[in-house]
């Protein structure tokens, strides 16, 4: 029997992996046998996450502190991974932020900061991983975490810089897929809707957001822990070699209406 989603022996980098969806996706790949590189800015958190994943799944883990807006730090992170683990097969570009304010009140600094992390940071990590590891190996799976708000606008939480940055991530994904497909690298995006995490639970359970779910989401609820995992596993799989340059919404149907 063939396990299409076996990642044994593969090395996967997950950025923004100090909590929330990043940790969930890292655990999903570890469950399939991948070695996990836990990347984020806060050293104490990534060390804890790496230790927990290693203990739970019995896979090798490597915590590497990195600010994805710092080009030198990104290059050093990739060099460290190659030195310690010898290869990089999968990259999940998950690190991001989100400025919420009416568009007319957004400052230049907020807009620039958003693009610097969500869009330019995503590119910096993809560039370094592709150049140093994936292009030489003629193999790679890059998964950019965009958002359903990279595909549509919204009326409930003004966040124009986030929409712009995540929309940029969606088309950056297409551009990189077009350039790097010849090297055996696929580049795809996941566009999550709202998901429950420790940081979002109170907000999503509020009366306002529960009413919004009933109106705006065909499944009439928000995403639960684990419901993003299979999309990440699918796109990380060696078997998904002919899926390239696509945004995959995981949003309960929000963007189908």
């Amino acid at each position: 029997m063939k396990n299409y989603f076996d990642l044994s022996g593969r090395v996967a980098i997950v950025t923004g992996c100090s909590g929330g969806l990043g940790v969930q996706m890292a655990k999903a790949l570890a469950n399939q046998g991948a070695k996990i590189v836990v990347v984020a800015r806060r050293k104490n958190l990534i060390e804890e996450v790496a230790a927990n994943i290693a203990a739970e799944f019995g896979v090798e883990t490597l915590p590497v502190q990195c600010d994805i807006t710092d080009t030198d730090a990104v290059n050093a992170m990739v060099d460290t991974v190659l030195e310690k683990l010898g290869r990089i097969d999968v990259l999940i570009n998950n690190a991001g932020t989100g400025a919420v304010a009416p568009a007319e009140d957004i400052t230049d600094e907020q807009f620039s900061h958003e693009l610097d992390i969500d869009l330019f940071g995503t590119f910096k990590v993809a560039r370094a991983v592709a150049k140093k590891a994936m292009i030489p190996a003629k193999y790679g799976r890059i998964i950019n975490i965009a958002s359903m708000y990279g595909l549509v606008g919204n009326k409930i939480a003004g966040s124009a810089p986030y929409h712009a940055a995540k929309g940029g991530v969606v088309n950056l994904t297409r551009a990189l897929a077009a350039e790097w497909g010849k090297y055996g690298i696929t580049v795809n995006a996941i566009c999550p809707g709202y998901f429950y995490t420790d940081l979002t639970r109170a907000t999503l359970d509020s009366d306002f957001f529960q009413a919004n779910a009933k109106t705006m989401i065909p499944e009439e609820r928000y995403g639960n822990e684990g419901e993003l995992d299979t999309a990440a596993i699918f796109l990380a799989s060696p078997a998904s070699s002919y899926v390239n340059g696509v945004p995959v919404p995981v949003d309960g149907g929000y963007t189908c209406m």
Side-chain angles (χ1 to χ4, degrees), residues 3 23 36 45 83 107 138 154 192 197-199 242 257:
N3 178 0
V23 172
I36 303 298
L45 292 181
E83 180 189 332
T107 65
K138 298 289 190 288
N154 94 90
T197 67
D198 291 342
L199 292 178
Y242 210 54
M257 296 199 305

Side-chain angles (χ1 to χ4, degrees), residues 95-106:
T97 185
V100 177
E104 64 271 21
D105 295 328
I106 289 285

Side-chain angles (χ1 to χ4, degrees), residues 2-257:
K2 183 175 181 179
N3 178 0
Y4 287 97
F5 304 111
D6 181 21
L7 296 174
S8 298
R10 304 284 178 174
V11 173
I13 294 176
V14 183
T15 69
C17 198
S18 57
L21 297 178
V23 172
Q24 290 177 29
M25 289 185 288
K27 287 184 174 182
L29 299 192
N31 186 66
Q32 302 307 115
K35 300 174 184 178
I36 303 298
V37 182
V38 179
V39 174
R41 289 175 300 167
R42 289 173 286 183
K43 189 168 186 285
N44 61 316
L45 292 181
I46 59 173
E47 287 177 346
E48 183 181 342
V49 168
N52 289 343
I53 290 174
E56 184 175 352
F57 300 98
V59 299
E60 189 173 355
T61 61
L62 177 66
V64 186
Q65 186 178 18
C66 180
D67 177 348
I68 66 162
T69 66
D70 182 335
T71 300
D72 290 339
V74 169
N75 287 327
M77 179 270 289
V78 173
D79 288 341
T80 297
V81 176
L82 290 173
E83 180 189 332
K84 297 283 180 62
L85 298 176
R87 59 192 291 165
I88 300 168
D89 302 285
V90 179
L91 166 64
I92 298 185
N93 263 320
N94 174 66
T97 185
V100 177
E104 64 271 21
D105 295 328
I106 289 285
T107 65
D108 290 358
E109 290 74 22
Q110 283 177 310
F111 203 98
S112 178
H113 181 68
E114 191 87 39
L115 291 180
D116 201 28
I117 295 174
D118 286 11
L119 181 54
F120 201 4
T122 292
F123 174 71
K124 286 179 179 182
V125 181
R127 176 180 62 188
V129 167
K131 187 167 189 173
K132 292 172 177 285
M134 292 182 175
I135 290 174
K138 298 289 190 288
Y139 178 88
R141 298 285 180 269
I142 297 176
I143 303 166
N144 297 323
I145 305 304
S147 168
M148 65 181 187
Y149 285 165
L151 303 171
V152 295
N154 94 90
K155 292 180 67 176
I156 63 168
S159 46
Y162 183 77
H163 285 70
K166 292 301 191 180
V169 170
V170 169
N171 216 37
L172 174 65
T173 297
R174 296 186 182 108
L176 298 182
E179 284 198 48
W180 294 342
K182 65 187 177 186
Y183 300 118
I185 301 169
T186 65
V187 188
N188 295 290
I190 297 177
C191 299
Y194 286 107
F195 272 79
Y196 282 107
T197 67
D198 291 342
L199 292 178
T200 65
R201 186 164 301 281
T203 300
L204 296 185
D205 279 340
S206 67
D207 290 344
F208 176 80
F209 269 83
Q210 286 298 305
N212 178 70
K214 295 288 193 293
T215 304
M216 297 297 296
I217 304 172
E219 293 194 22
E220 299 188 353
R221 64 175 179 84
Y222 297 110
N224 294 313
E225 182 173 342
E227 290 190 308
L228 198 63
D229 294 357
T230 49
I233 292 168
F234 165 67
L235 294 175
S237 166
S240 299
S241 50
Y242 210 54
V243 181
N244 197 19
V246 297
V248 180
V250 185
D251 60 7
Y254 184 102
T255 52
C256 79
M257 296 199 305

